[in-house]
Amino acid sequence: MVSRVIPVDTFDLVIFGGTGDLARRKIFPGLYRRYLAGQMPPDSRIIGAARADLTPEAFRETVGAAIAEFVPKDRQDPAVIAKFLTRIDYVPIDAKGDGGWTALADIMRDGVVRAFYFSVAPALFGDLAERLHKHGIADGKSRIVVEKPFGRDLESAQALNAVLASHFSEKQIYRIDHYLGKETVQNLMAVRFANILFEPLWKSEFVDHVQITVAETVGVNGRGAYYDKSGAMRDMVQNHMMQLLCLIAMEPPYHFDPDAVRDEKLKVIRALDPVKPEDIVRGQYLPGGGEGGYLEHAENPASRTESYIALKVGVSNWRWSGTPFYLRTGKRLRARASEIAITFKAVPHSIFDDAKGWLENVLVIRLQPNEGINLMVMIKEPGPGGMRLMQVPLDMSFADALGVDAEDVSDAYERLIMDVIRGNQTLFMRGDEVEAAWAWADPIIDAWDARSTRPQGYDPGSSGPEDALMLMHRDGRRWREIKE
């Protein structure tokens, strides 16, 4: 299957933090893949900018090394890589001073899309924005991309929004959440709004509950000091998982238009109920498997930061009142998996004598690994001996159903960067959306900080704390098994 390539306008993309880890692992490999796919105009340019005093030639070598390390070998075409690297330039920049800004201004071109990726700490956003305007590098048509964390609470998010708004309009600001760039997340909208089969059933009358799981097998070692200042709630729930919840719960927008979609997501966030203390479980992974526990990795024996959190969330609107949304995410769990599971209610009356072990229909949207969608349905078990029922999946993995190799499905970052160049904000968060999410999350965080309780320990390789199981069991439900 050959995918359609949508062209983009010629651009100059400046990546601040161009020598950083995100640029090396995701941004430059993703841009190379778009170039390989023929989606990048040949006269477009990518300009790295960072503190390191490198020549453009030396910087191109680092980009080439990143492609060699993070792009699959069968996607590495030496001739294409060589041409791609001619599109790369570099300028040493002092984000807090005036060094390098005149040189950057001198190489920017008129008549092309100008985009600026802030792959730096949020503390530098204001400095970069100010100097882009001071030196005449950015104008009213320029676009900026900002990475999370976008604040650590409502107050800091509002301050960041204010700083950016003093130099750029909301139409120019692209707050990136790579989860929204995943193929399956976008397919969630297609499944809902392009199929009459699901939309009439997408409400509390027919949906028993929804589970959203983001599980990781790795711990926080190597980034423990950073993670200990955020935790699972700030790192995952307030942004990534909130966006997934919004896409499940939102009303159909009047059109697939950036603000129409984001208006409906904002309504969901504002309809979220406050979460009761008994509906929250927090955990920290213990030592095991030859590795230290969270406290050792965070280098903070008194830490009360959670590496795991599970919550029961309600949405107070006509569509979802009475249907719980269960969210869980954690480190050092049994398997790496991200999925959304919509569990429909059982039939009101079974006509079959053998109704033991009756299972509900479940629509599973799997984000990683092996992106795809399957629907669990009840059928008759093959063979004689009566009407014995069993549950089987109607499966659609991209690799099998669409004839697309997993490597041919573009990475979230490369898709989102191309949307920036196109000027399409549909998959990016708006300022009021970010602030509404913090307004919901802050009271939860403040409440457990006030109680000074320690998270519950859990074994590495498990499914999380025991209390998380009870969160579901007391409602007569159970978590789906975490597996690759």
Side-chain angles (χ1 to χ4, degrees):
M1 177 178 177
V2 179
S3 61
R4 291 179 297 171
V5 175
I6 302 173
V8 298
D9 294 332
T10 299
F11 61 85
D12 281 352
L13 172 62
V14 180
I15 302 173
F16 293 105
T19 58
D21 189 56
L22 178 64
R24 187 174 64 89
R25 288 186 299 108
K26 292 291 185 180
I27 299 175
F28 284 112
L31 287 167
Y32 162 74
R33 284 171 54 120
R34 290 303 88 205
Y35 187 83
L36 181 65
Q39 199 171 359
M40 188 182 298
D43 51 349
S44 292
R45 295 187 309 166
I46 303 160
I47 303 163
R51 290 178 298 177
D53 187 16
L54 297 174
T55 63
E57 293 76 16
F59 184 68
R60 292 184 193 107
E61 290 182 10
T62 68
V63 173
I67 293 170
E69 183 176 359
F70 294 106
V71 173
K73 299 300 182 186
D74 60 352
R75 298 297 189 276
Q76 295 183 27
D77 183 321
V80 176
I81 293 173
K83 290 180 181 179
F84 174 72
L85 292 177
T86 66
R87 304 292 94 206
I88 304 294
D89 205 342
Y90 181 80
V91 176
I93 282 286
D94 180 2
K96 290 183 170 292
D98 290 326
W101 290 97
T102 300
L104 180 60
D106 288 343
I107 65 173
M108 300 299 292
R109 298 175 295 174
D110 295 327
V112 302
V113 173
R114 291 188 182 187
F116 304 93
Y117 199 127
F118 291 7
S119 182
V120 297
L124 296 176
F125 289 176
D127 296 303
L128 294 177
E130 178 183 352
R131 283 161 179 77
L132 283 172
H133 279 274
K134 175 182 176 181
H135 294 274
I137 300 171
D139 57 25
K141 296 181 179 179
S142 300
R143 297 151 197 174
I144 63 168
V145 185
V146 293
E147 275 281 349
K148 83 175 188 83
F150 202 84
R152 59 174 284 105
D153 53 24
L154 176 59
E155 183 180 3
S156 58
Q158 289 173 329
L160 275 174
N161 277 337
V163 166
L164 295 178
S166 66
H167 299 286
F168 296 92
S169 71
E170 184 63 36
K171 293 289 187 182
Q172 295 177 275
I173 303 171
Y174 292 72
R175 298 172 186 83
I176 193 167
D177 184 334
H178 71 275
Y179 263 59
L180 293 182
K182 290 181 177 294
E183 193 74 34
T184 321
V185 173
Q186 294 173 69
N187 254 311
L188 172 57
M189 289 187 280
V191 166
R192 280 199 60 187
F193 302 132
N195 297 282
I196 194 64
L197 173 65
F198 291 113
E199 185 57 25
L201 305 178
W202 211 270
K203 52 188 175 182
S204 59
E205 183 180 355
F206 299 104
V207 176
D208 179 77
H209 72 280
V210 177
Q211 295 183 30
I212 305 176
T213 298
V214 179
E216 300 179 79
T217 55
V218 297
V220 301
N221 43 322
R223 58 191 290 260
Y226 159 77
Y227 190 90
D228 203 48
K229 297 176 182 177
S230 59
M233 185 69 183
R234 288 187 173 98
D235 188 53
M236 290 297 301
V237 175
Q238 182 273 338
N239 40 73
H240 298 325
M241 301 185 80
M242 177 69 71
Q243 291 297 308
L244 299 180
L245 189 156
C246 286
L247 292 178
I248 299 165
M250 63 187 276
E251 293 296 320
Y254 73 88
H255 189 263
F256 192 61
D257 167 85
D259 278 332
V261 171
R262 296 187 295 181
D263 284 345
E264 297 304 332
K265 290 198 294 175
L266 179 60
K267 291 176 185 177
V268 173
I269 299 173
R270 289 176 172 168
L272 294 177
D273 294 332
V275 182
K276 302 174 184 176
E278 60 268 27
D279 290 336
I280 303 171
V281 177
R282 300 167 65 230
Q284 287 179 343
Y285 61 83
L286 300 169
E291 293 189 30
Y294 176 81
L295 297 179
E296 289 86 352
H297 290 162
E299 299 180 354
N300 181 6
S303 174
R304 292 187 287 111
T305 301
E306 74 287 351
S307 64
Y308 175 101
I309 188 169
L311 307 95
K312 177 183 176 182
V313 179
V315 182
S316 286
N317 60 21
W318 276 38
R319 182 180 288 264
W320 294 112
S321 181
T323 296
F325 287 70
Y326 298 95
L327 282 59
R328 61 173 171 169
T329 182
K331 305 284 188 183
R332 295 296 308 276
L333 296 177
R334 179 174 298 149
R336 173 180 173 265
S338 297
E339 69 172 33
I340 302 163
I342 295 95
T343 300
F344 294 91
K345 293 181 179 179
V347 295
H349 171 70
S350 173
I351 65 172
F352 304 107
D353 293 333
D354 182 15
K356 293 182 293 184
W358 186 275
L359 299 174
E360 301 92 345
N361 301 121
V362 184
L363 178 66
V364 181
I365 298 99
R366 192 167 180 88
L367 310 180
Q368 64 183 20
N370 305 320
E371 292 182 83
I373 299 172
N374 68 56
L375 176 64
M376 307 299 295
V377 298
M378 298 297 293
I379 67 166
K380 176 190 175 295
E381 184 178 328
M387 185 67 72
R388 298 187 305 275
L389 303 178
M390 63 182 295
Q391 192 176 58
V392 297
L394 300 178
D395 184 48
M396 189 208 80
S397 68
F398 293 141
D400 296 334
L402 304 180
V404 177
D405 187 271
E407 298 298 341
D408 290 327
V409 177
S410 60
D411 179 80
Y413 275 97
E414 57 194 87
R415 178 182 294 110
L416 293 173
I417 292 172
M418 290 298 103
D419 277 354
V420 173
I421 304 303
R422 295 188 190 98
N424 184 349
Q425 290 184 304
T426 304
L427 300 175
F428 297 83
M429 292 179 289
R430 204 166 59 193
D432 54 1
E433 194 180 342
V434 171
E435 292 181 15
W438 278 121
W440 173 79
D442 275 359
I444 299 172
I445 298 170
D446 292 344
W448 72 53
D449 284 347
R451 290 196 302 273
S452 300
T453 54
R454 294 289 295 266
Q456 181 183 353
Y458 63 93
D459 292 327
S462 70
S463 57
E466 290 294 324
D467 285 357
L469 302 178
M470 296 307 300
L471 180 66
M472 294 285 278
H473 287 174
R474 73 179 189 221
D475 292 341
R477 302 181 177 102
R478 60 189 304 170
W479 292 108
R480 286 174 49 82
E481 183 182 353
I482 302 174
K483 54 186 178 182
E484 295 280 357

